[in-house]
Amino acid sequence: MGGNDTDTAERSSRGAGDRDTRFFGQPWALAHIFSVEMWERFSFYGMQGILLIYMYYSVAEGGLGIDKVTATGIVGAYGGTVYLSTILGAWIADRVLGSERVLFYSAFVIMLGHIALAVLPSTAGLGVGLVLVAVGSGGLKANATSVVGTLYAPGDVRRDAGFSLYYLGINLGAFLGPIVTGFLQSSYGFHWGFGAAAVGMAVGLTQYSFGRKQLPASSRIVPDPLPRSRYPLMIGLAVAALVLVIALTLFGVIRPDNLSGVVILVTLVAAVAYFIVILSSPHITPKDRSRVLGFLPLFLVNVGFWSLYQQQFTVLTIYSDERLDRTIGGWTMPVSWVNSINPIFVIILSGVFAALWTKLGTRQPSTPVKFSLGTIIMGVAFLLFLPWANGAPNSTPLLAIVGILLVFTIAELFISPPGLSVTTRLAPERFHTQMVALYFLSIALGTSIAGWLAQFYDPKNEVPYFTILGFIAIAIGVALLAAVKPVLHLMRGVR
C-alpha cells in the first residue's frame, strides 16, 4: 500500500501523463486543456468577430451607434489589455494560486464577461463584458501553456507533438467562433452571437471542471509563494489602482475616445520599466546584459508587426463590411466570417513551416532574419490592398481578401512561433518571467497601436493609409535585416 502511494506521488510530481496515450497518443489530461482552450478561443474570436460592428452599427441595426474612430480605439485598447493581463495572470500563478487554479478561475471570468455582453443593455454591458473577458483571457493565456508542460516528464519525446495538438485546438476554436457568432448575429441579432460565445465558454469550463482533477499536482504548485505578511500590501495596491482608474474615468481623463492612447502609454511605461530593471540589475552577467540589449530591436520590430497584423479586428472588419463583396450566389456572408480565414491557413501552414525549419536545421534563417522577413511580408500584405483601393461599396472580390490573409498568415508564421522561443533563450535565468512579460508587452503595444491607427483609415481615400503603413513595415524589416550581424553579436550565440 505504501509502495503504491509512493509511486502515485512520484507520477504526480513529474507529470501524470508519462505512460498515458489515450488522447491521440498523448496524456488524456491534455484533452481537458485542449477543450477549455478551444472553447475559450471559440468564444474570444467569436465575440471579437462581431464586436466592432456591434459598436458602430446604429441602434436600429441592433448596435450601439458609437462612431467608428472611437469604436476601433476601444477594440485596440481591449486587445492590448488582454496581453497586459497576461502579466497579472502570470504573477498570480507564480506567487499566489499556481497555474492550474488561475486557468480555471480565468475561464469562469471569461464566461461571465460574455454573459454580460449578451444580457446587459447598451454600453454598460460592453464595459463590464470587455473588462471581464480581457482580464480572464490574459489569465488563461498566461497559464494554459504552463499547465500543458506539466503533463510531460523531462525528455518525453511526445512534448512537441502534444503542443502541436494543443495549438490545433486553439485554431479550431478561432475558426469556428466567428462562423457561429456571425451566423447568429446576422440571423437573430448581436446578443445571440454574444450568447453563443458565453455558451461555448460554459461548455469548455464544464468539461474542464470534471477533468481538472486528473492534472498533475505540479500544475498547482506555486513556484514563489508570496509571504502572508505581504498580502495586505498587495491587496491595498490593487484596490488603490482600481480606485485610481475609476477616478480618472469619472473625471474624464480616461474616455472611450482616448482609451487606446491610455493603454499605449501604460504599456510603454511598463516596458521601459522592465528593460531598466533587468539591464540595471547587479545579478546579471555582461553576457546576459548583452542578450537583453539584443532583444530590444526584436521587441521594436514585433511592435511594428502586430500593429499591422491586429488590424484584422479593426480596419479589416470595416473593410469587410463596406468594401468587400460578400455575396455568393444571392447569399451574403456575415462580416465576421472573414476572421475565420486566417485560422484555416494557420492550421494548414504551421505544419509546413515546422517541417521546413526541421529540414533546414542549422541552415534555417536566424531569428532576426525571420523577424525581418515576417515584417516585410506584412508590409507587402498591406500594399496588396492597393489594386482595389477607393473602389465602389462591396467591390473587392472575396478571393482577393483570401489571398491577402494568406500573406498575413505567412508573415505571422515567420514571427509568432519563433518570438516566444527566442525570448526564453535570451532571458537571464533570474528574469525569465520578466522577459516573457516583455514579449507580451510588445504584442500589447502593437495591438493598442492597431486600434489607434484605425482612426486614420478613410474608406473613401484608402491609398495613403495602405501605402504609408505598408512601406513603413517594409522599411522596419529592411532596417533589421541590415542590422542582423550586430544584433546576432549582441545575442551572444543565440540564433
Side-chain angles (χ1 to χ4, degrees):
M1 188 77 172
N4 289 339
D5 288 344
T6 304
D7 185 53
T8 301
E10 223 175 88
R11 280 203 312 273
S12 180
S13 67
R14 68 175 192 249
D18 284 4
R19 301 180 184 88
D20 186 357
T21 58
R22 289 177 291 163
F23 187 59
F24 300 101
Q26 301 295 323
W28 179 248
L30 180 63
H32 306 301
I33 311 170
F34 176 98
S35 173
V36 74
E37 181 66 22
M38 182 186 76
W39 285 110
E40 187 273 331
R41 292 290 90 182
F42 170 94
S43 63
F44 182 87
Y45 284 105
M47 180 272 281
Q48 192 138 318
I50 61 175
L51 176 62
L52 181 59
I53 56 175
Y54 171 61
M55 283 193 275
Y56 75 70
Y57 272 22
S58 69
V59 175
E61 296 171 298
L64 298 177
I66 299 171
D67 74 272
K68 285 178 186 170
V69 171
T70 301
T72 53
I74 291 171
V75 170
Y78 156 74
T81 304
V82 169
Y83 288 97
L84 273 174
S85 297
T86 59
I87 298 166
L88 177 63
W91 185 87
I92 294 173
D94 285 347
R95 306 301 306 273
V96 183
L97 293 174
S99 289
E100 191 281 324
R101 293 185 188 90
V102 174
L103 189 156
F104 176 70
Y105 297 137
S106 295
F108 189 74
V109 170
I110 292 167
M111 182 182 70
L112 292 178
H114 290 302
I115 290 171
L117 281 163
V119 302
L120 292 180
S122 67
T123 53
L126 179 71
V128 173
L130 290 188
V131 168
L132 290 174
V133 174
V135 172
S137 295
L140 193 143
K141 183 183 287 290
N143 290 285
T145 305
S146 297
V147 175
V148 173
T150 65
L151 302 181
Y152 301 95
D156 191 328
V157 295
R158 299 175 300 163
R159 178 183 289 265
D160 285 354
F163 272 97
S164 296
L165 194 57
Y166 165 74
Y167 195 59
L168 174 64
I170 291 173
N171 284 288
L172 278 175
F175 165 69
L176 292 170
I179 297 288
V180 173
T181 60
F183 168 75
L184 290 170
Q185 175 267 316
S186 60
S187 302
Y188 303 103
F190 284 101
H191 292 285
W192 283 87
F194 294 134
V199 169
M201 194 65 251
V203 171
L205 186 58
T206 301
Q207 179 180 342
Y208 184 72
S209 297
F210 288 109
R212 62 191 292 242
K213 293 176 183 176
Q214 299 174 27
L215 293 170
S218 54
S219 67
R220 286 177 279 276
I221 289 173
V222 181
D224 184 18
L226 184 71
R228 290 278 175 183
S229 60
R230 294 185 64 188
Y231 273 39
L233 173 63
M234 291 299 146
I235 293 170
L237 288 173
V239 171
L242 185 61
V243 169
L244 178 63
V245 170
I246 293 171
L248 291 173
T249 304
L250 291 174
F251 284 106
V253 178
I254 299 175
R255 306 181 306 274
D257 62 312
N258 72 354
L259 203 53
S260 59
V262 170
V263 176
I264 289 170
L265 182 62
V266 170
T267 309
L268 266 175
V269 170
V272 170
Y274 267 119
F275 271 113
I276 290 173
V277 166
I278 297 171
L279 289 170
S280 62
S281 172
H283 302 291
I284 66 171
T285 65
K287 182 178 181 180
D288 288 333
R289 192 168 284 109
S290 178
R291 284 178 168 176
V292 175
L293 288 171
F295 176 71
L296 182 56
L298 300 182
F299 177 94
L300 295 172
V301 170
N302 209 37
V303 171
F305 171 81
W306 289 101
S307 66
L308 267 67
Y309 181 84
Q310 293 289 64
Q311 291 190 42
Q312 287 184 75
F313 305 108
T314 54
V315 168
L316 187 57
T317 298
I318 298 172
Y319 191 94
S320 301
D321 184 30
E322 299 184 5
R323 183 72 69 243
L324 186 61
D325 179 9
R326 292 177 285 111
T327 303
I328 305 170
W331 170 76
T332 302
M333 184 180 86
V335 175
S336 69
W337 284 25
V338 174
N339 292 129
S340 288
I341 297 171
N342 172 251
I344 296 173
F345 285 135
V346 172
I347 292 169
I348 295 169
L349 293 178
S350 55
V352 175
F353 270 73
L356 176 64
W357 301 143
T358 302
K359 185 174 178 61
L360 288 173
T362 56
R363 294 178 292 118
Q364 67 182 281
S366 65
T367 301
V369 172
K370 289 177 182 176
F371 269 57
S372 302
L373 294 175
T375 309
I376 290 168
I377 294 167
M378 194 67 240
V380 170
F382 263 56
L383 297 181
L384 290 175
F385 282 99
L386 292 176
W388 294 278
N390 302 343
N394 308 115
S395 60
T396 302
L398 182 59
L399 201 58
I401 288 298
V402 171
I404 291 170
L405 286 173
L406 171 61
V407 181
F408 267 59
T409 307
I410 292 170
E412 176 192 2
L413 291 171
F414 268 101
I415 281 193
S416 189
L420 195 53
S421 172
V422 76
T423 304
T424 56
R425 285 181 284 141
L426 291 172
E429 189 174 344
R430 194 181 182 98
F431 291 97
H432 191 273
T433 303
Q434 285 88 335
M435 283 286 282
V436 172
L438 270 172
Y439 174 77
F440 282 123
L441 282 174
S442 71
I443 302 177
L445 193 52
T447 303
S448 304
I449 292 172
W452 177 78
L453 284 172
Q455 68 181 297
F456 302 107
Y457 171 67
D458 180 3
K460 296 175 183 175
N461 186 22
E462 298 169 317
V463 173
Y465 188 83
F466 291 125
T467 303
I468 293 169
L469 288 184
F471 278 115
I472 287 175
I474 291 170
I476 291 170
V478 169
L480 180 59
L481 201 58
V484 163
K485 283 189 177 179
V487 171
L488 283 173
H489 177 71
L490 286 170
M491 289 167 63
R492 299 288 184 93
V494 174
R495 293 188 81 255

